[in-house]
Structure formats: C-alpha cells, structure tokens
Amino acid sequence: MKTKAVRLHGRNDLRLETFDLPAVGDDEILAKVVCDSICMSSYKATHEADVHKRVPRDVPRNPVIIGHEFAGEILEVGRQWQHAFRAGDKFSIQPALNDPEGPAGLWSAPGYSYRYIGGDATHVLIPNEVMSNGCLLHYTGAGFYPASLAEPLSCVIGAMHANYHTTPGSYHHRMGIRDGGNMALLAGVGPMGLAAVNCAIHRTDVKPRLMVVTDIDRARLDRAALLYSPAEAARNGIELRYVHTAGMADPVDELKALAGGKGYDDVFVFAPVAAVVEQADALLAFDGCLNFFAGPSQTGFRAPFNFYNVHYASTHVVGTSGGNTDDMKEALAMMERGLDPAGLVTHIGGLDAVIDTTLNLPSIPGGKKLIYTHIHLPLTSIDEFEARGKTSPVFAELHRLCQRYRGLWNVEAEAYLLAHADAL
C-alpha cells in the first residue's frame, strides 16, 4: 500500500512524500492514521535531527516519519497479533517503547525513529515491538481526536504520579501529588498546563484542595477560566484560582498568601524560564516537590535552587518527560468516562500544513494544532471558522457545531469535517 507522509531527512529538512509501505508481516499491523496532534517535541526533533536522542544517526539515508500523538483505525493484522487486534479497531499509541533494540536504542519511538510509522502519514506499518511492548492501545470512546490527545494527557498524568513526598524518620517516599494539598501550575495555561488542569479536576482518586494556575497573559487565563471554571472544579472538591502575575510587586508573597502563607506541596513549571523556576522554588512548602515539566531546548539550561531549604525543609525536584503505558491507559480510560481534551485544540489542518506548522511551531499562537492526515487544509484557527464560513458552507457548519460546544472542537465537528473535506 502507498502512503503519503511527512518525513525528516535532516535538520529542518521535512518533506511531504508518497512511497510504498512494505507488505504486512506476520508480526506487523497495517493501520490508517486519522489525526495527529503536533507536539513541541516534533519541533525540537526537526531542528536537531540526527543529534536528537530519539532520531537515528542515519536519518539522512533512512528518513523517518514524524508525529507521535496520533490515532486511527486498524486495517490489517498479521497472524501473530490476530488474537489481540482486528480490522476496524480504533487505536492510540504510546510512543515511548523503551525497547533497546529499536533504531535509536532505548529512546526509539514512533514519530521520531521509524521509517514506516509516525503520526503525520495517511497509512503506517506498525512494527512488532510496538505490540510486544504493550504500546498499541485500544480506544473505544467517541471520535478520534481524544485518542490522539491521550499521549499529551498521559504526560501530565505521569508528572502527577512522579511527584513524591517524604515521611519524617523514614526513607520510604509517598509517590504522587499530596492528596488535599496545595498545588501550583506556573505558566500553566498553555496546552500542557490546560491538560494538567483538566486532569486534576477529573481525577477520582488523589486531588489537591487548592489549585492555583498562573500566567502573564490575561487573555489566555480568561480562556482557561471559561474552559475549566472554578465552579466546575468546586463541584469536584477543588478550590481553583487563576492568577495574573504580570505587574505583581511580589508574586511569591501574593501566591503564598493564597495558600495561607504555607506555600505549595506541589509546584509544576510549564515554561523553561529560569525566573519561573526560581519562583517555583520559593513557593515550595515544607517537603514541597517541584516538577520541572517544561523541556528546555538549550542543553545548558540552569536556574538557582535554594539548597538551604533542600537540607532543612526537605524540598526536592523531579523532572518528567512523557508518560508510560499505564499513564496512557489511564488517560484513555478518563476520556472514555467523559473527560474531553478539546480545550487543548485551537487549530486544525491537513497533512499539507504539517511542514510549515512544525518548523514554526513556537511562533504560532494558541494551543494544540490538530492534523487530519487525509485532507488538504491550511492550518486554520477555530476562531477563523466564522469568517471563513461566509464563503464556505463547510466552515459555516463547523462554526455552528463548535459554537454548540463553547467554541471548542468536538466529535460532531470532527465527523462533519471528515465527511465533507472534499468540499473544501
């Protein structure tokens, strides 16, 4: 079968190409990709290419398909996996295989490391190591985009599991955020910060009592408050505060005051900015855990840390990069129970929009850019639907459908787009 895919050939060298996939082996699966969410990690891999830890050194000779937040439908199953999968199944993929035999060693992942599997493609050949490592996951919920966004949601789920707290007089750590504690999300209204807010509100087990979300952009904070309101959080037992820190004389003092002067048990940093890391450190309560979630692009990124408090106040730091397979399963289960990640999505586009979007991702405002790989469409903001609808009946209907859901992307709009894409 032929596929059309965006492949990485070298630094900043992305090409939209049509080529043949190999025949399906007994231990492989052929699948149709429906959508892929473009991640900042793809931008980093594109700019670093063969020096990136997940990209094989021989990528100029054996280009790889990019995109690792994708979902679709299984078309053909090799004999070895017919007991577990069948044609017509919807799927999501955990890209972090942790397989030392992969093309980039232990760091190998679909969307970075493989010639025939990645999210920015019409069809892919799923290799045996994806299934044998338990990383091809069933999705039984509505639509496809939630399964595509399961990977970023799993990253924040993993981050919350990775935090830990100590027990005085013991060397046994209690994993996870502090139940009923104070939690702060700094620079927390970007795509991943919103995913963390959504996740925290909808968790049924461990959750904070107070969740403070900060940013210096008033408009983004206002949008976040509309998507995930304090009233919704209160119904789930969480006091949610959105705080605009720009112009504050002393953000640390004011943020600590919201927590009764005690500081925060769990602080997540969503921007690789030294000043934000310093602020997070200063906000930690006794036994507070700082999770540096934001991935810096500079290998020498540094920020001061108060080691007096490390010694006397048991403060500590962790860093997470992605979730594991259990986190993905938890994300999919949350969405099958009704959690909708649509608040992350601000743009949609077709496969032809991938190259420019990926190369320029940091300069494109908004949240997640969702790519539907079987359509032709320039990257388009949901906010543009109304204006484009004046000359396009398809966009007029997409605007109407999104307005029914507070201006958010939704399963009905996705189904309509896929059914009427030819009219674009």
Side-chain angles (χ1 to χ4, degrees), residues 97-112:
L97 304 182
N98 298 318
D99 188 333
E101 302 302 318
L106 189 65
W107 290 100
S108 297
Y112 299 92

mmCIF file of all heavy atoms in Angstrom, residues 97-112:
data_model
loop_
_atom_site.group_PDB
_atom_site.id
_atom_site.type_symbol
_atom_site.label_atom_id
_atom_site.label_comp_id
_atom_site.label_asym_id
_atom_site.label_seq_id
_atom_site.Cartn_x
_atom_site.Cartn_y
_atom_site.Cartn_z
ATOM 1 N N LEU A 97 8.577 3.437 23.681
ATOM 2 C CA LEU A 97 8.611 1.975 23.701
ATOM 3 C C LEU A 97 9.574 1.410 24.742
ATOM 4 O O LEU A 97 9.395 0.288 25.211
ATOM 5 C CB LEU A 97 9.026 1.452 22.319
ATOM 6 C CG LEU A 97 8.186 1.891 21.125
ATOM 7 C CD1 LEU A 97 8.720 1.236 19.846
ATOM 8 C CD2 LEU A 97 6.719 1.554 21.325
ATOM 9 N N ASN A 98 10.626 2.158 25.050
ATOM 10 C CA ASN A 98 11.661 1.672 25.972
ATOM 11 C C ASN A 98 12.215 0.326 25.514
ATOM 12 O O ASN A 98 12.409 -0.596 26.312
ATOM 13 C CB ASN A 98 11.110 1.571 27.403
ATOM 14 C CG ASN A 98 10.682 2.913 27.953
ATOM 15 O OD1 ASN A 98 11.370 3.908 27.772
ATOM 16 N ND2 ASN A 98 9.533 2.952 28.604
ATOM 17 N N ASP A 99 12.464 0.238 24.222
ATOM 18 C CA ASP A 99 12.975 -1.003 23.619
ATOM 19 C C ASP A 99 14.410 -0.787 23.159
ATOM 20 O O ASP A 99 14.649 -0.047 22.205
ATOM 21 C CB ASP A 99 12.094 -1.400 22.436
ATOM 22 C CG ASP A 99 12.424 -2.774 21.881
ATOM 23 O OD1 ASP A 99 13.589 -3.207 22.018
ATOM 24 O OD2 ASP A 99 11.528 -3.412 21.320
ATOM 25 N N PRO A 100 15.384 -1.416 23.816
ATOM 26 C CA PRO A 100 16.791 -1.170 23.455
ATOM 27 C C PRO A 100 17.167 -1.650 22.062
ATOM 28 O O PRO A 100 18.213 -1.262 21.541
ATOM 29 C CB PRO A 100 17.564 -1.942 24.538
ATOM 30 C CG PRO A 100 16.618 -2.967 25.037
ATOM 31 C CD PRO A 100 15.250 -2.355 24.939
ATOM 32 N N GLU A 101 16.315 -2.458 21.434
ATOM 33 C CA GLU A 101 16.620 -2.972 20.099
ATOM 34 C C GLU A 101 16.108 -2.062 18.982
ATOM 35 O O GLU A 101 16.270 -2.380 17.807
ATOM 36 C CB GLU A 101 16.009 -4.372 19.934
ATOM 37 C CG GLU A 101 16.480 -5.393 20.959
ATOM 38 C CD GLU A 101 17.993 -5.566 20.945
ATOM 39 O OE1 GLU A 101 18.591 -5.607 19.840
ATOM 40 O OE2 GLU A 101 18.580 -5.635 22.035
ATOM 41 N N GLY A 102 15.486 -0.952 19.318
ATOM 42 C CA GLY A 102 14.938 -0.061 18.301
ATOM 43 C C GLY A 102 16.009 0.691 17.539
ATOM 44 O O GLY A 102 17.195 0.670 17.895
ATOM 45 N N PRO A 103 15.622 1.385 16.458
ATOM 46 C CA PRO A 103 16.593 2.080 15.605
ATOM 47 C C PRO A 103 17.343 3.205 16.306
ATOM 48 O O PRO A 103 18.406 3.617 15.837
ATOM 49 C CB PRO A 103 15.740 2.613 14.449
ATOM 50 C CG PRO A 103 14.342 2.601 14.951
ATOM 51 C CD PRO A 103 14.258 1.484 15.923
ATOM 52 N N ALA A 104 16.802 3.728 17.400
ATOM 53 C CA ALA A 104 17.518 4.740 18.187
ATOM 54 C C ALA A 104 17.796 4.208 19.591
ATOM 55 O O ALA A 104 17.920 4.978 20.542
ATOM 56 C CB ALA A 104 16.708 6.032 18.253
ATOM 57 N N GLY A 105 17.899 2.901 19.718
ATOM 58 C CA GLY A 105 18.172 2.293 21.014
ATOM 59 C C GLY A 105 16.992 2.435 21.953
ATOM 60 O O GLY A 105 15.827 2.439 21.529
ATOM 61 N N LEU A 106 17.277 2.578 23.239
ATOM 62 C CA LEU A 106 16.236 2.629 24.256
ATOM 63 C C LEU A 106 15.279 3.789 24.043
ATOM 64 O O LEU A 106 14.121 3.735 24.464
ATOM 65 C CB LEU A 106 16.896 2.728 25.640
ATOM 66 C CG LEU A 106 15.975 2.590 26.861
ATOM 67 C CD1 LEU A 106 15.375 1.187 26.911
ATOM 68 C CD2 LEU A 106 16.742 2.879 28.146
ATOM 69 N N TRP A 107 15.727 4.840 23.368
ATOM 70 C CA TRP A 107 14.897 6.031 23.166
ATOM 71 C C TRP A 107 14.004 5.927 21.930
ATOM 72 O O TRP A 107 13.280 6.875 21.606
ATOM 73 C CB TRP A 107 15.776 7.270 23.041
ATOM 74 C CG TRP A 107 16.445 7.656 24.324
ATOM 75 C CD1 TRP A 107 17.733 7.395 24.696
ATOM 76 C CD2 TRP A 107 15.863 8.359 25.412
ATOM 77 N NE1 TRP A 107 17.990 7.893 25.943
ATOM 78 C CE2 TRP A 107 16.853 8.485 26.420
ATOM 79 C CE3 TRP A 107 14.598 8.894 25.653
ATOM 80 C CZ2 TRP A 107 16.618 9.131 27.623
ATOM 81 C CZ3 TRP A 107 14.363 9.533 26.852
ATOM 82 C CH2 TRP A 107 15.367 9.643 27.814
ATOM 83 N N SER A 108 14.038 4.825 21.234
ATOM 84 C CA SER A 108 13.274 4.698 19.991
ATOM 85 C C SER A 108 11.785 4.921 20.214
ATOM 86 O O SER A 108 11.210 4.454 21.207
ATOM 87 C CB SER A 108 13.491 3.304 19.391
ATOM 88 O OG SER A 108 14.844 3.127 19.042
ATOM 89 N N ALA A 109 11.152 5.631 19.272
ATOM 90 C CA ALA A 109 9.732 5.941 19.404
ATOM 91 C C ALA A 109 9.128 6.203 18.032
ATOM 92 O O ALA A 109 9.747 6.865 17.193
ATOM 93 C CB ALA A 109 9.532 7.171 20.294
ATOM 94 N N PRO A 110 7.913 5.692 17.788
ATOM 95 C CA PRO A 110 7.191 6.104 16.576
ATOM 96 C C PRO A 110 7.051 7.612 16.534
ATOM 97 O O PRO A 110 6.778 8.253 17.552
ATOM 98 C CB PRO A 110 5.831 5.416 16.749
ATOM 99 C CG PRO A 110 6.099 4.229 17.617
ATOM 100 C CD PRO A 110 7.165 4.695 18.575
ATOM 101 N N GLY A 111 7.248 8.180 15.363
ATOM 102 C CA GLY A 111 7.192 9.625 15.220
ATOM 103 C C GLY A 111 8.535 10.307 15.302
ATOM 104 O O GLY A 111 8.654 11.501 15.037
ATOM 105 N N TYR A 112 9.559 9.538 15.659
ATOM 106 C CA TYR A 112 10.936 10.045 15.725
ATOM 107 C C TYR A 112 11.918 9.110 15.024
ATOM 108 O O TYR A 112 12.905 9.559 14.456
ATOM 109 C CB TYR A 112 11.419 10.147 17.175
ATOM 110 C CG TYR A 112 10.677 11.043 18.103
ATOM 111 C CD1 TYR A 112 9.636 10.559 18.879
ATOM 112 C CD2 TYR A 112 11.046 12.379 18.265
ATOM 113 C CE1 TYR A 112 8.974 11.377 19.793
ATOM 114 C CE2 TYR A 112 10.391 13.203 19.171
ATOM 115 C CZ TYR A 112 9.361 12.691 19.932
ATOM 116 O OH TYR A 112 8.721 13.502 20.821
#
